Amino acid sequence: MPPDGTERAFILDSLRHPAEVELLRKLYGSAFVLIGVVCDEEVRKQRIAGKFLGADLISAAAFMKSDAHAPERHGQRVSQAFYLADFFLDNTVQRKQGRSNDDWPIPDQLRRLIQIIRHSSIMRPLPAETA
């Protein structure tokens, strides 16, 4: 797509290896922003178990473990890629389907990220963002 002055964002879901992050940073430079999505481990396990037919909490836990640290050299390294993120979202609170999502924090967190990227206002670090 040739540049035409229109602002665009492309979302790549599920980067699973630090080499993918490195390649995208080299290609896009400061225009690339990696968002790490965190979720309480038990909530994530329940979501995975509910997503796949025949899955249970034990197989979901095994999947999460292999997803994080595959033994092969070129296997998935989600945990290592995750720590390269520029911004983190907490997706523990379940989004409600077809109802008000006033307590779902993702839209506010994404608005904050956009304000930080665009320098549209002064954004001070939140307590959780300080070391």
Side-chain angles (χ1 to χ4, degrees):
M1 189 175 308
D4 62 4
T6 302
E7 292 182 354
R8 291 184 177 86
F10 295 95
I11 299 172
L12 306 174
D13 189 12
S14 295
L15 296 181
R16 302 201 171 277
H17 198 282
E20 295 172 317
V21 177
E22 183 180 325
L23 176 66
L24 290 166
R25 287 205 195 282
K26 283 183 183 177
L27 184 63
Y28 293 105
S30 64
F32 173 74
V33 176
L34 180 61
I35 301 172
V37 180
V38 298
C39 182
D40 177 77
E41 187 173 344
E42 288 304 313
V43 172
R44 184 167 178 242
K45 230 185 282 185
Q46 290 172 3
R47 287 179 183 169
I48 291 170
K51 186 175 182 178
F52 299 102
L53 186 62
D56 58 16
L57 293 179
I58 295 170
S59 60
F63 171 78
M64 288 168 56
K65 184 176 179 179
S66 70
D67 199 32
H69 303 288
E72 307 87 36
R73 180 173 170 241
H74 298 291
Q76 296 182 25
R77 299 275 188 240
V78 176
S79 292
Q80 292 171 6
F82 174 80
Y83 288 110
L84 298 173
D86 302 300
F87 193 81
F88 295 91
L89 296 176
D90 185 350
N91 190 28
T92 301
V93 175
Q94 181 71 35
R95 180 176 182 218
K96 299 173 193 163
Q97 298 296 327
R99 294 183 285 169
S100 171
N101 285 299
D102 293 339
D103 57 347
W104 194 53
I106 300 296
D108 290 334
Q109 293 174 16
L110 288 173
R111 269 190 280 289
R112 177 174 169 73
L113 172 62
I114 291 168
Q115 288 175 331
I116 291 169
I117 291 170
R118 298 184 85 196
H119 304 285
S120 59
S121 61
I122 296 173
M123 301 301 296
R124 297 198 178 0
L126 298 173
E129 297 170 340
T130 58

